[in-house]
Amino acid sequence: VIDISLFPAHQGQGIGTALLRSSQQQARAMGHGMCLHVARDNPGARRLYERLGFALVPGDGGMHDAMQWEAHP
């Protein structure tokens, strides 16, 4: 995932969840996982990614943390 950005008025309506779940379904169908970076000062996005099964990848990413999701059959 390169970038997902929603206007504040559209956040919290399930749009980001739907986009990511669709991407996860496509990745799973191809036998792939997904990775992304989340800004450390964006706890809302981090909660979304964690809720969808993304896990923090250890390491110092500066202003961003890497997260990864593994597809399971």
Side-chain angles (χ1 to χ4, degrees):
V1 175
I2 299 296
D3 194 12
I4 294 177
S5 182
L6 299 173
F7 287 110
H10 299 286
Q11 294 174 359
Q13 299 178 27
I15 298 167
T17 298
L19 290 169
L20 285 166
R21 282 190 175 151
S22 176
S23 296
Q24 286 173 308
Q25 289 172 350
Q26 292 175 20
R28 182 180 287 115
M30 294 185 293
H32 296 289
M34 295 171 54
C35 61
L36 52 80
H37 288 85
V38 60
R40 289 187 174 173
D41 64 352
N42 191 345
R46 181 182 299 270
R47 281 191 304 272
L48 168 64
Y49 302 144
E50 288 173 344
R51 190 172 69 243
L52 293 174
F54 285 83
L56 189 63
V57 175
D60 182 14
M63 293 176 29
H64 294 83
D65 286 323
M67 299 186 81
Q68 187 168 350
W69 172 81
E70 295 294 332
H72 299 288

mmCIF file of all heavy atoms in Angstrom, residues 37-66:
data_model
loop_
_atom_site.group_PDB
_atom_site.id
_atom_site.type_symbol
_atom_site.label_atom_id
_atom_site.label_comp_id
_atom_site.label_asym_id
_atom_site.label_seq_id
_atom_site.Cartn_x
_atom_site.Cartn_y
_atom_site.Cartn_z
ATOM 1 N N HIS A 37 3.608 1.815 5.707
ATOM 2 C CA HIS A 37 4.232 2.642 6.731
ATOM 3 C C HIS A 37 3.157 3.566 7.305
ATOM 4 O O HIS A 37 2.305 4.056 6.570
ATOM 5 C CB HIS A 37 5.374 3.484 6.154
ATOM 6 C CG HIS A 37 6.578 2.673 5.824
ATOM 7 N ND1 HIS A 37 6.718 2.020 4.620
ATOM 8 C CD2 HIS A 37 7.678 2.392 6.545
ATOM 9 C CE1 HIS A 37 7.860 1.375 4.613
ATOM 10 N NE2 HIS A 37 8.472 1.582 5.774
ATOM 11 N N VAL A 38 3.222 3.789 8.594
ATOM 12 C CA VAL A 38 2.266 4.669 9.254
ATOM 13 C C VAL A 38 3.035 5.717 10.045
ATOM 14 O O VAL A 38 4.030 5.416 10.698
ATOM 15 C CB VAL A 38 1.296 3.861 10.164
ATOM 16 C CG1 VAL A 38 2.037 3.107 11.243
ATOM 17 C CG2 VAL A 38 0.233 4.769 10.772
ATOM 18 N N ALA A 39 2.578 6.956 9.949
ATOM 19 C CA ALA A 39 3.212 8.031 10.694
ATOM 20 C C ALA A 39 3.051 7.785 12.188
ATOM 21 O O ALA A 39 1.973 7.386 12.646
ATOM 22 C CB ALA A 39 2.600 9.382 10.312
ATOM 23 N N ARG A 40 4.102 8.002 12.921
ATOM 24 C CA ARG A 40 4.059 7.772 14.370
ATOM 25 C C ARG A 40 3.064 8.693 15.070
ATOM 26 O O ARG A 40 2.571 8.370 16.140
ATOM 27 C CB ARG A 40 5.453 7.950 14.969
ATOM 28 C CG ARG A 40 6.362 6.806 14.572
ATOM 29 C CD ARG A 40 7.661 6.864 15.283
ATOM 30 N NE ARG A 40 8.429 5.666 14.960
ATOM 31 C CZ ARG A 40 9.662 5.471 15.313
ATOM 32 N NH1 ARG A 40 10.304 6.382 16.018
ATOM 33 N NH2 ARG A 40 10.286 4.355 14.980
ATOM 34 N N ASP A 41 2.764 9.824 14.459
ATOM 35 C CA ASP A 41 1.828 10.766 15.078
ATOM 36 C C ASP A 41 0.402 10.592 14.540
ATOM 37 O O ASP A 41 -0.396 11.520 14.567
ATOM 38 C CB ASP A 41 2.307 12.204 14.898
ATOM 39 C CG ASP A 41 2.349 12.645 13.444
ATOM 40 O OD1 ASP A 41 2.149 11.805 12.542
ATOM 41 O OD2 ASP A 41 2.600 13.844 13.204
ATOM 42 N N ASN A 42 0.084 9.377 14.049
ATOM 43 C CA ASN A 42 -1.247 9.097 13.523
ATOM 44 C C ASN A 42 -1.824 7.844 14.198
ATOM 45 O O ASN A 42 -1.925 6.778 13.599
ATOM 46 C CB ASN A 42 -1.184 8.906 12.000
ATOM 47 C CG ASN A 42 -2.554 8.887 11.370
ATOM 48 O OD1 ASN A 42 -3.559 8.735 12.050
ATOM 49 N ND2 ASN A 42 -2.593 9.027 10.058
ATOM 50 N N PRO A 43 -2.230 7.975 15.472
ATOM 51 C CA PRO A 43 -2.726 6.799 16.199
ATOM 52 C C PRO A 43 -4.012 6.223 15.610
ATOM 53 O O PRO A 43 -4.255 5.021 15.718
ATOM 54 C CB PRO A 43 -2.942 7.315 17.617
ATOM 55 C CG PRO A 43 -3.101 8.798 17.478
ATOM 56 C CD PRO A 43 -2.256 9.183 16.291
ATOM 57 N N GLY A 44 -4.829 7.036 14.970
ATOM 58 C CA GLY A 44 -6.059 6.532 14.367
ATOM 59 C C GLY A 44 -5.762 5.545 13.245
ATOM 60 O O GLY A 44 -6.381 4.487 13.157
ATOM 61 N N ALA A 45 -4.808 5.886 12.392
ATOM 62 C CA ALA A 45 -4.426 4.992 11.300
ATOM 63 C C ALA A 45 -3.804 3.715 11.867
ATOM 64 O O ALA A 45 -4.099 2.613 11.396
ATOM 65 C CB ALA A 45 -3.457 5.685 10.349
ATOM 66 N N ARG A 46 -2.966 3.849 12.881
ATOM 67 C CA ARG A 46 -2.336 2.670 13.481
ATOM 68 C C ARG A 46 -3.403 1.715 14.031
ATOM 69 O O ARG A 46 -3.330 0.508 13.843
ATOM 70 C CB ARG A 46 -1.375 3.069 14.590
ATOM 71 C CG ARG A 46 -0.679 1.866 15.233
ATOM 72 C CD ARG A 46 0.234 2.279 16.360
ATOM 73 N NE ARG A 46 1.273 3.158 15.906
ATOM 74 C CZ ARG A 46 2.470 2.749 15.460
ATOM 75 N NH1 ARG A 46 2.753 1.472 15.420
ATOM 76 N NH2 ARG A 46 3.359 3.619 15.065
ATOM 77 N N ARG A 47 -4.427 2.262 14.704
ATOM 78 C CA ARG A 47 -5.512 1.417 15.231
ATOM 79 C C ARG A 47 -6.232 0.679 14.100
ATOM 80 O O ARG A 47 -6.550 -0.503 14.213
ATOM 81 C CB ARG A 47 -6.511 2.255 16.026
ATOM 82 C CG ARG A 47 -6.066 2.588 17.425
ATOM 83 C CD ARG A 47 -7.196 3.178 18.250
ATOM 84 N NE ARG A 47 -7.802 4.353 17.634
ATOM 85 C CZ ARG A 47 -7.372 5.606 17.804
ATOM 86 N NH1 ARG A 47 -6.314 5.856 18.570
ATOM 87 N NH2 ARG A 47 -7.983 6.610 17.215
ATOM 88 N N LEU A 48 -6.480 1.391 13.000
ATOM 89 C CA LEU A 48 -7.126 0.775 11.844
ATOM 90 C C LEU A 48 -6.291 -0.393 11.331
ATOM 91 O O LEU A 48 -6.794 -1.496 11.138
ATOM 92 C CB LEU A 48 -7.322 1.803 10.727
ATOM 93 C CG LEU A 48 -7.722 1.253 9.357
ATOM 94 C CD1 LEU A 48 -9.092 0.590 9.417
ATOM 95 C CD2 LEU A 48 -7.687 2.351 8.315
ATOM 96 N N TYR A 49 -5.011 -0.162 11.125
ATOM 97 C CA TYR A 49 -4.135 -1.213 10.585
ATOM 98 C C TYR A 49 -4.033 -2.391 11.547
ATOM 99 O O TYR A 49 -4.084 -3.546 11.115
ATOM 100 C CB TYR A 49 -2.749 -0.647 10.276
ATOM 101 C CG TYR A 49 -2.768 0.510 9.307
ATOM 102 C CD1 TYR A 49 -1.880 1.569 9.440
ATOM 103 C CD2 TYR A 49 -3.679 0.579 8.248
ATOM 104 C CE1 TYR A 49 -1.890 2.638 8.561
ATOM 105 C CE2 TYR A 49 -3.701 1.647 7.368
ATOM 106 C CZ TYR A 49 -2.801 2.671 7.525
ATOM 107 O OH TYR A 49 -2.823 3.718 6.655
ATOM 108 N N GLU A 50 -3.926 -2.118 12.816
ATOM 109 C CA GLU A 50 -3.852 -3.217 13.797
ATOM 110 C C GLU A 50 -5.150 -4.016 13.818
ATOM 111 O O GLU A 50 -5.131 -5.239 13.902
ATOM 112 C CB GLU A 50 -3.531 -2.668 15.189
ATOM 113 C CG GLU A 50 -2.097 -2.182 15.305
ATOM 114 C CD GLU A 50 -1.800 -1.479 16.614
ATOM 115 O OE1 GLU A 50 -2.755 -1.091 17.340
ATOM 116 O OE2 GLU A 50 -0.600 -1.290 16.906
ATOM 117 N N ARG A 51 -6.272 -3.319 13.715
ATOM 118 C CA ARG A 51 -7.573 -3.994 13.695
ATOM 119 C C ARG A 51 -7.698 -4.919 12.486
ATOM 120 O O ARG A 51 -8.349 -5.960 12.537
ATOM 121 C CB ARG A 51 -8.689 -2.945 13.683
ATOM 122 C CG ARG A 51 -10.065 -3.517 13.896
ATOM 123 C CD ARG A 51 -11.134 -2.458 14.073
ATOM 124 N NE ARG A 51 -11.375 -1.713 12.851
ATOM 125 C CZ ARG A 51 -11.168 -0.412 12.684
ATOM 126 N NH1 ARG A 51 -10.699 0.328 13.668
ATOM 127 N NH2 ARG A 51 -11.412 0.179 11.537
ATOM 128 N N LEU A 52 -7.016 -4.572 11.389
ATOM 129 C CA LEU A 52 -7.063 -5.373 10.170
ATOM 130 C C LEU A 52 -5.950 -6.414 10.108
ATOM 131 O O LEU A 52 -5.769 -7.073 9.087
ATOM 132 C CB LEU A 52 -7.015 -4.459 8.941
ATOM 133 C CG LEU A 52 -8.249 -3.572 8.766
ATOM 134 C CD1 LEU A 52 -8.052 -2.603 7.620
ATOM 135 C CD2 LEU A 52 -9.493 -4.418 8.554
ATOM 136 N N GLY A 53 -5.209 -6.571 11.199
ATOM 137 C CA GLY A 53 -4.220 -7.639 11.276
ATOM 138 C C GLY A 53 -2.797 -7.258 10.944
ATOM 139 O O GLY A 53 -1.929 -8.123 10.875
ATOM 140 N N PHE A 54 -2.526 -5.977 10.726
ATOM 141 C CA PHE A 54 -1.153 -5.545 10.474
ATOM 142 C C PHE A 54 -0.395 -5.524 11.796
ATOM 143 O O PHE A 54 -0.938 -5.150 12.832
ATOM 144 C CB PHE A 54 -1.123 -4.144 9.854
ATOM 145 C CG PHE A 54 -1.524 -4.116 8.405
ATOM 146 C CD1 PHE A 54 -2.858 -4.086 8.045
ATOM 147 C CD2 PHE A 54 -0.567 -4.124 7.409
ATOM 148 C CE1 PHE A 54 -3.238 -4.053 6.712
ATOM 149 C CE2 PHE A 54 -0.932 -4.098 6.074
ATOM 150 C CZ PHE A 54 -2.276 -4.061 5.718
ATOM 151 N N ALA A 55 0.868 -5.924 11.731
ATOM 152 C CA ALA A 55 1.717 -5.949 12.925
ATOM 153 C C ALA A 55 2.939 -5.063 12.692
ATOM 154 O O ALA A 55 3.449 -4.962 11.568
ATOM 155 C CB ALA A 55 2.166 -7.373 13.220
ATOM 156 N N LEU A 56 3.386 -4.446 13.757
ATOM 157 C CA LEU A 56 4.550 -3.587 13.711
ATOM 158 C C LEU A 56 5.787 -4.401 13.364
ATOM 159 O O LEU A 56 5.997 -5.483 13.904
ATOM 160 C CB LEU A 56 4.732 -2.905 15.069
ATOM 161 C CG LEU A 56 5.774 -1.809 15.163
ATOM 162 C CD1 LEU A 56 5.418 -0.634 14.267
ATOM 163 C CD2 LEU A 56 5.890 -1.354 16.605
ATOM 164 N N VAL A 57 6.597 -3.887 12.449
ATOM 165 C CA VAL A 57 7.870 -4.502 12.089
ATOM 166 C C VAL A 57 8.940 -3.806 12.923
ATOM 167 O O VAL A 57 9.053 -2.580 12.868
ATOM 168 C CB VAL A 57 8.168 -4.331 10.583
ATOM 169 C CG1 VAL A 57 9.543 -4.874 10.238
ATOM 170 C CG2 VAL A 57 7.082 -4.998 9.747
ATOM 171 N N PRO A 58 9.694 -4.557 13.712
ATOM 172 C CA PRO A 58 10.719 -3.928 14.559
ATOM 173 C C PRO A 58 11.735 -3.144 13.732
ATOM 174 O O PRO A 58 12.081 -3.535 12.624
ATOM 175 C CB PRO A 58 11.400 -5.110 15.249
ATOM 176 C CG PRO A 58 10.437 -6.235 15.142
ATOM 177 C CD PRO A 58 9.662 -6.005 13.881
ATOM 178 N N GLY A 59 12.170 -2.037 14.284
ATOM 179 C CA GLY A 59 13.174 -1.215 13.616
ATOM 180 C C GLY A 59 12.835 0.253 13.744
ATOM 181 O O GLY A 59 11.708 0.620 14.050
ATOM 182 N N ASP A 60 13.806 1.072 13.496
ATOM 183 C CA ASP A 60 13.619 2.519 13.602
ATOM 184 C C ASP A 60 13.317 3.078 12.229
ATOM 185 O O ASP A 60 14.175 3.101 11.356
ATOM 186 C CB ASP A 60 14.871 3.177 14.186
ATOM 187 C CG ASP A 60 14.691 4.675 14.365
ATOM 188 O OD1 ASP A 60 13.556 5.154 14.288
ATOM 189 O OD2 ASP A 60 15.688 5.344 14.591
ATOM 190 N N GLY A 61 12.101 3.519 12.030
ATOM 191 C CA GLY A 61 11.691 4.069 10.741
ATOM 192 C C GLY A 61 11.628 5.575 10.735
ATOM 193 O O GLY A 61 10.980 6.159 9.893
ATOM 194 N N GLY A 62 12.265 6.212 11.712
ATOM 195 C CA GLY A 62 12.209 7.666 11.751
ATOM 196 C C GLY A 62 10.827 8.142 12.146
ATOM 197 O O GLY A 62 10.316 7.785 13.197
ATOM 198 N N MET A 63 10.193 8.905 11.275
ATOM 199 C CA MET A 63 8.867 9.453 11.567
ATOM 200 C C MET A 63 7.745 8.453 11.283
ATOM 201 O O MET A 63 6.591 8.708 11.590
ATOM 202 C CB MET A 63 8.641 10.726 10.756
ATOM 203 C CG MET A 63 9.549 11.855 11.181
ATOM 204 S SD MET A 63 9.433 13.379 10.196
ATOM 205 C CE MET A 63 7.799 13.426 9.602
ATOM 206 N N HIS A 64 8.094 7.322 10.657
ATOM 207 C CA HIS A 64 7.103 6.307 10.297
ATOM 208 C C HIS A 64 7.515 4.944 10.837
ATOM 209 O O HIS A 64 8.694 4.664 10.993
ATOM 210 C CB HIS A 64 6.971 6.212 8.768
ATOM 211 C CG HIS A 64 6.400 7.437 8.159
ATOM 212 N ND1 HIS A 64 7.160 8.547 7.862
ATOM 213 C CD2 HIS A 64 5.133 7.744 7.793
ATOM 214 C CE1 HIS A 64 6.397 9.481 7.337
ATOM 215 N NE2 HIS A 64 5.155 9.014 7.287
ATOM 216 N N ASP A 65 6.518 4.117 11.101
ATOM 217 C CA ASP A 65 6.753 2.736 11.501
ATOM 218 C C ASP A 65 6.265 1.827 10.386
ATOM 219 O O ASP A 65 5.205 2.063 9.780
ATOM 220 C CB ASP A 65 5.985 2.386 12.777
ATOM 221 C CG ASP A 65 6.599 3.015 14.012
ATOM 222 O OD1 ASP A 65 7.837 3.103 14.083
ATOM 223 O OD2 ASP A 65 5.829 3.405 14.922
ATOM 224 N N ALA A 66 7.015 0.776 10.112
ATOM 225 C CA ALA A 66 6.606 -0.215 9.118
ATOM 226 C C ALA A 66 5.653 -1.203 9.794
ATOM 227 O O ALA A 66 5.824 -1.573 10.937
ATOM 228 C CB ALA A 66 7.829 -0.940 8.571
#
